[in-house]
Each structure stands twice: as structure tokens, then as C-alpha cells.
Amino acid sequence: MFRTALRNVLAHKARLLMTVLAVMLGVAFVSGTLVYTSTLSDATQKSSQKGLSGVDVAIQPHRSDAADANPGKAPGLSQALLDKAGKVPGAAGATGTVDGFTAIADKKGKLAGNGASSRGRNYYPGPDGKDARFPMTSGTAPKGPDQVALDSGTAKDAGYKVGDTVRLSVDGPVREMKVSGIFTTDDGAVATGGSLALFDTATAQKLFAAPGEFSEIDVKAAPGTSQDALKSAVDKVLPDTAESVTGKKMADDQAEMIAKGTDTMQTVLLVFAGIALFVGTFIIANTFTMLVAQRTKDLALMRAVGASRRQVTRSVLIEAFVVGAVAAVTGLLAGIGIGAGLRALTGALGSVPDGPLVVAPSTVVASLLVGVVVTVLAAWLPSRRAAKIPPVAAMNSVHAAATAKSLVVRNAIGAVLAAAGTACVLGAVSVGSDAGKTLMGLGAGLLLIGVFVLTPLLSRPLIAAAAPVLRAFGISGKLARQNAVRNPRRTAATASALMIGLTLVTGLTVIAGGVQKGIDKMATDALKADYVVSMATMGPLSPEVAKTLAADPEVTASSPLRSTAARIGGESKRLTGVDGKAIGELTNLKFTAGSLDGLGTPKANRAVVDSGTAKRNGWQVGSSFETTFEDGKKGRLTVSGVFEGNTMFQGIMVDTSVLTPHQKKPTDMQVLVKTEGGATDAAKDSLVETLGKNPAISVQDKKDVSEDIAQLFNLMLNMLYGLLAMAVVVAVLGVVNTLAMSVFERQQEIGMLRAIGLDRVGVKRMVRLESLVIALFGGVLGIGLGVFFGWAAGELIGSSMPAYELVLPWARMGVCLALAAVVGVLAALWPARRAARLNMLASIKAE
């Protein structure tokens, strides 16, 4: 039986080619994902460890229990602590570090580096006057408030050399400094496309912390001293507001964090690889069903000469094993190539550090297992059917048609599953977002399976609906329709592969369109301001930005949005500071009680809160509550208004005069601006000019905000479409495979049609129309299910986002249907050509 199975594989290698390709693509997706994420994780971890190689013990700020009454930022580390740490037993020295965001403009005025990975840090010279972490390749270390050193990568990309003047920004205002030196670094952020600027310690402390304070102290161990021993010594000099951690622990924690990040990406990619493999199972099952049907007499003869049902089943499964093994090996090799290509691409973009390609043993095992197991499992049902056919019945008929009973049972099961799935989805919609997520997932799975089971039943009426169109193509159209419904099981399996891909594409498009519309509506409806000014990386803004904008003659009203930590009722909360006198001109808040009046009254300590916060705390207009501010001091706030919260404005809002006295270093999140002539290009240019053409600051009107939202969703959708493209490609292979094998199976019939007058053009048209009908059938089902799932998911989202609107993307759905039609036409090219070239006499004599 083993030799027979191998001979069958070799005899049908052309027919099995598409199956091998489908499995290979799925396995390549899996192995490519595993290789790329393993390589990325390994390179990032090694880069991180390299950056920590000089750190044996790190001292970091820590909020003690006694400091919990102060909800603000933990206090920095002092120079006195740095001096003590460098002198503990076993220490060879200590280095103080302070850092923060620093945007560098290139010579064209654009932001250099990778946005949020653009950092600034202090240069801390040792006894020899050098900082070993940052060896200078040219120039000298920075000295004084007007000098800065740049990493070599940023200097090269931005076009700077020693002696040039560079424009940079830490928190908003533009600063001009002279490039004193260029250095190399092992910093992981720089290795992934970020930038690093160095200042002298006093300048860095002024920019990022406070004079005399550090954000971290790194202690170096003397020879012969372990990290644990040094940590024990350091702990003895630490105040309650600081804690220590070994370099090994920091490296392990970073490695774990990196692993979690790559695990998330790996999981997402593997989900899409699983979708491609799931679609591939339809092709495998279809292929082996057709092969078994074509070899019914052979299998019956084997049964007649003594082969048992188990042996017949085993022979088909051996064929599947061989096919799966070949596909898995080629898929693994292709996946390694994909992983290497992705590694080279991201390396060229500068988004990951250098490192070798990692092909873990687990990747090899997983890829081989996936390919073999998926193929064998998909072929199991056809093998069981082959073994159940009685030898005498099989010898009398080449095709063993499905019995009416089996179709009734299938339709009954499908109806139950579809009804249960629909009920679960509708139940999830009525329950709400949090409780309904699991029910929604269960219902979507049941409904999808139920529709797949019912597809043979659905194929007849839906394909029959295309009859009027097909009549225009004469006898070829009529034959195409009859062929499409002749074997409903086969048509169902072929169309279902395409249906799954289009269901996901349509569903995601509907959801994304509704969310985008809702966020866009909330963001723009809540604003009267013409412009929103913020850091391009959404970092903190200096209060100087708001003052500078307020002084612009084009500006009629402006207000900062300032956030700070507070403790209310024993819980940590955020307070938002605004200009109470101007905020009414800049926002369109809907108040259910009270108003903004009096918010800017000095010493009134008034607050307005969103309705959700008010309800949770039992507040109403006139209620007062005690607040512990950032510096630990207490005060009372009185509710003067309750408004409906939205994406931009929610929580507790007070005047900045209430917050500023309690903040050590006030910073803003955004500044809202209203100009005299409204949002015009001239007004925007004026604001940009006022801010010194700062590349780190973004000036956006409502249209820009809307376009940013649209760009974000389009980017996300395009990524998802790209990942789902693999499933669509596999579905195309399925249509090609089914048609090619169907042509082989019907060659006697095609020969007869040719003999009675159907020319080659008519045969090609017949096969193409059959493919087109099947593809459109799958497309209609997929788009219909996608719209239903998109609506249901949108209802869940709408329970937590009142502005959510159902948006039916008619244009994109039309594109999806057109794509299904194109798939049908392209998939039929080779089978149609093959059918037309059959020799009619040889075909008539074929069995």
C-alpha cells in the first residue's frame, strides 16, 4: 500500500502541484514570521545588553510609601547621592545620567531621526575628562549651554559636521547650538533609527530635570566585586525615594519586554498565516476528493483483491503525508528567504539593529509539523469516504454521487450552526461591549462554519440568479451554469476559500470606516478652535509655546491643555488645566448641568467634570471634593458644571492658575488656538513662523486632524489587506486547481461537445464563465457576511463610543466584488486553454 501511494503521488504530481503551492505558501508565512521575529528579538536584545554592558548597578527614583500622599513625579537623584554611591565598598565609580526628548532639525528644517526615539542626554566625563559611553570620533565634548554633540548616524543623515549650527527643540521653543563633536554609541534607540544629542551635565539637567538632579545613577563594580555584592553596598546609602537594580536584572527585564513586544507581532502574523492555511485546507480537501473520485475503480479493485478499509484510508493519507512533507520543506526554505528579506529591508530602513539571521530548531519543527498535519487532516475525510464505498458499487460507477440523505444531514447541521451563530452575534450586540466580546467571537465562528456547511444548498439559488446574464453567452453560458451547480460540494469548497478572505476584508473595512467617522466627528465637533498645536511626537510642550502663540496678533483666543497627577478620594486621577476665560471660545462642550462660567475666576477653585466622572463619584453642580496636588499639598475644588465627555475632553477640568503653583515644572499637552480670519493657509503660516519653523511642533487645523485619523486607519487597513492577500492568493490557487482537475475529469464530455460542434472558443468561454460564477458566488457570500460582522462589531463599539456610525464602504465593496471577478477570470486562463486544446477523439475514448 505504501508503494501504491507513492506511485499515485508521482502519477498525479501535476494535479497535486496547486495543493503543494497552497500549503507551501501557508508554511512559508509561518516560518517567515518565526524567523523574522526571532531575528528581530535576538538583535534587539543583544543591542540592549550591549548598551548596559557598563552598568553593574543602577540607582533609580522610587516612590516610597511615605511619599504616596504626593501624586506627582518621584523626586530626582541628587549629586550627594551620586558622590556616596561612587565611594561605597566595591565601587569603581559612578555616573549620573539625565535624559529626555530632543528633536533635531536637519539642514532642510525637517525632523531628523525616528520621532519618539530622538533623545538628549548628558555627557558625564570621568577623571580622564572622557565619557567612555560616547567616544568622540571628531571634535570635543559639549561645554556650556550653547554646545551639543551628535551621534555619527544623525550627523551624517542630517548633513552636520563639527562647527555647524544645529536647530533643536526639547519642549517646544527652538534652540540653536554649535556642534562641538560627533560620537559613536551602542545605544539601542540609535541603532533602531533614533537620534542622540549630548549636552554637558548642567545644561541637560536644566533641560530635562532640575539643577543638581539625575534621572539615573550607574555604578561600576571594581574588579572582583559581583553585582549582587555591589547592590547590597549601594542599598545602605539609598534614601527612601530611590531603589537599586543590578545590570543583569535590567538586561533580563528589557529582554522580557522585547520578547513580549515581538510575541505580540508574532501572534498577529501567525493569525493571518493560520487564515491562509485554513483556506488551504479547502484546496487540499477538494483535491483529494476529486482524486479519490477519479480513482474509484482503482480503489474498488484494491478492495476486491483483499485491501481493507483501513488500508485504503492509509494509502490516501500517505499520499497526503508525502504532499505535505514536500510542501512543508519548500515552505520552510521559502520562509527562511522571506525572513532574511524582511530583515534586510528593516535593516536598510534603520528600524532594527544589526544581527545574524536566527533559524531556531523550534521554527523548523513547527513549520514541518504545520505543513504535514494540515495536509493530512484535510485529506482525512476524503480518505474515509473512499474506504466506505462498496467495491461492487464503485466498479459500476466512476462517480459516487453524494446521497440525498447526506445532503439533508449536512443542510440540517449547517442550519443549526448558522442559527446558533446568528443568535450569539445578536445576543452579543444586545449585551454590550465588554460582556459581548466573547459571545461575539463564538457567534462569528459558528456562523462562518454554518454558512460554509450550507454553501452547497446556497449555491443553487444564487448561481441560478446569474442565469439571465449567462444566457447572453449562448450555449457556453448555459453549460457553465450547469457545471457550476453539478457538484455543489465542490463548488462550495472552492467558493468558500475566497469567501473567508473577502469576509475578513469587508468586515475590517466596515469597522474601520465607522470608527474613523466616529473619532473624526468627536474630534471636530468638540472643537471651535481653528488650530491644535502639539509636539509632533505628542511629548510635553513648554508653557512658553502658549505664551508665544498668545502674543501673535493673528490669535484671538488660545488655551493650553495641561495635565497633572492628583489624588482624589484615595485614587490617582488626572486634572486638566485650561485657560478658564478662553476655553469657551475654543470648545463646543455640551453641558448637562452648570456651565464654564466662572472657571477662570481667580481663587475660585472651580472645576467642570464629564458626566461619567460625575456619576461615578456622585457629584453634581455645587459638590466639592478634596484634592491632593502634585506637590502633596491639599485643596478643595467645587463642581461648577457637568458636560458630556468625548475623545478630546473628559475627566476633571480646572483653570491653569489652580495647577501651576503646585507644579515643579509645568508642561502642556496641546495648545488650542483661534485666529482672526479662521483656518487659512496664511494664518497657519503665521503660526508656524511665530514658533520659529520648529520641526518638532505640529500645527493642525480640523482638516489636518481628520486626515491624520484617516491616514492612520488607511495605514492599518492596508497592512491588514497585505496580510490577507496571502489567503486570497491561496484561494486563487484553489479555483485554478479545481477547474484544472474538473477539466481532466470531464475530458470525455468536453470531447463530445467538441464533436457535436462546440468550437475551442466556446470551450474556453464555458470554463471561464464557470470560474467567474463560482468566484462571484464566493464574493457575494463573503461581502454579505463581512457587512453583517462589521455591523455587529460596530454595535459593540458604539456602546462605548456614542459617535460611532455605520459606514458602508460601497466603493470598496465594489472593488472586492470586482476582485472576485478578476480572480475568477485569471484562475480560468490555464484550465480553459487546456480544455480547448484537448484532442476530441482521444477525449471521447478516455475513461
Side-chain angles (χ1 to χ4, degrees), residues 81 105 114 130 145 220 293 402 419 437 442 451 543 555 560 567 595 684 717 728 734 814 820 824 827:
L81 178 59
N114 185 18
K130 298 179 180 179
K220 182 72 176 174
K437 289 178 181 177
L442 175 63
V451 170
V555 175
R567 191 174 300 279
S595 67
K684 186 173 183 178
L717 273 179
V728 176

Side-chain angles (χ1 to χ4, degrees), residues 273-330:
I275 292 169
L277 284 167
F278 181 61
V279 171
T281 59
F282 295 109
I283 300 175
I284 301 165
N286 233 6
T287 300
F288 279 94
T289 298
M290 296 174 75
L291 284 175
V292 166
Q294 292 167 12
R295 298 204 322 261
T296 305
K297 283 189 175 181
D298 296 340
L299 295 174
L301 183 60
M302 290 171 60
R303 289 287 312 281
V305 297
S308 65
R309 284 187 175 184
R310 184 173 296 177
Q311 286 178 309
V312 171
T313 300
R314 193 181 301 146
S315 70
V316 177
L317 292 180
I318 289 172
E319 291 181 51
F321 177 85
V322 173
V323 170
V326 171
V329 171
T330 53

Side-chain angles (χ1 to χ4, degrees), residues 519-545:
I519 293 177
D520 187 13
K521 184 179 179 182
M522 285 193 295
T524 55
D525 287 358
L527 281 178
K528 287 183 184 176
D530 296 317
Y531 295 99
V532 178
V533 179
S534 63
M535 293 292 282
T537 56
M538 301 309 294
L541 274 171
S542 167
E544 293 299 319
V545 173

Side-chain angles (χ1 to χ4, degrees), residues 462 716 828:
L462 288 178
M716 180 184 69

Side-chain angles (χ1 to χ4, degrees), residues 222-246:
T225 303
S226 69
Q227 290 188 355
D228 289 334
L230 180 60
K231 182 180 183 302
S232 298
V234 167
D235 285 344
K236 295 177 181 178
V237 301
L238 293 183
D240 290 341
T241 55
E243 61 183 353
S244 67
V245 59
T246 64

